[in-house]
Amino acid sequence: MNAFTFLTETGKFNNSEIMKHAHVLKAYRRISLSEALKKAWFLAKRQQKEYREIEEEKKSFKPAFNANKGNVLKVFFSGNHADYVNCDSSWR
């Protein structure tokens, strides 16, 4: 599901959804189509701005691995880790 209703999957404007929203605004708020389109486009541009900010955060995100502890998974599954000791290992 796309959280940004006025945008396509690539972040471009979805003109159909913008027009549908403008007609809903016109019907329920009883404003002119011109005003409804202005409000719908304002919301769409705000969504595009938020989408671009999120995409930039995704690009700049680097997971931090603690390299000074060595192989963390090996230590976890060796049997001495507190989360692993209390597990039922009857499947072995």
Side-chain angles (χ1 to χ4, degrees), residues 18-52:
I18 294 170
M19 288 297 289
K20 287 177 186 176
H21 187 71
H23 282 283
V24 168
L25 287 175
K26 179 182 179 287
Y28 289 108
R29 291 194 178 176
R30 301 205 183 268
I31 57 178
S32 67
L33 184 60
S34 173
E35 286 296 316
L37 281 169
K38 286 178 186 176
K39 290 181 185 294
W41 274 103
F42 173 78
L43 292 173
K45 288 177 182 177
R46 190 171 69 186
Q47 277 190 2
Q48 189 179 49
K49 182 180 175 185
E50 292 172 4
Y51 175 83
R52 287 182 178 168

Side-chain angles (χ1 to χ4, degrees), residues 44-77:
K45 288 177 182 177
R46 190 171 69 186
Q47 277 190 2
Q48 189 179 49
K49 182 180 175 185
E50 292 172 4
Y51 175 83
R52 287 182 178 168
E53 289 173 358
I54 290 172
E55 288 299 314
E56 286 298 318
E57 288 177 11
K58 285 181 184 177
K59 287 180 184 176
S60 65
F61 176 73
K62 285 190 172 182
F65 294 107
N66 198 351
N68 62 355
K69 290 186 179 179
N71 191 344
V72 178
L73 289 176
K74 183 178 180 181
V75 172
F76 180 77
F77 289 112

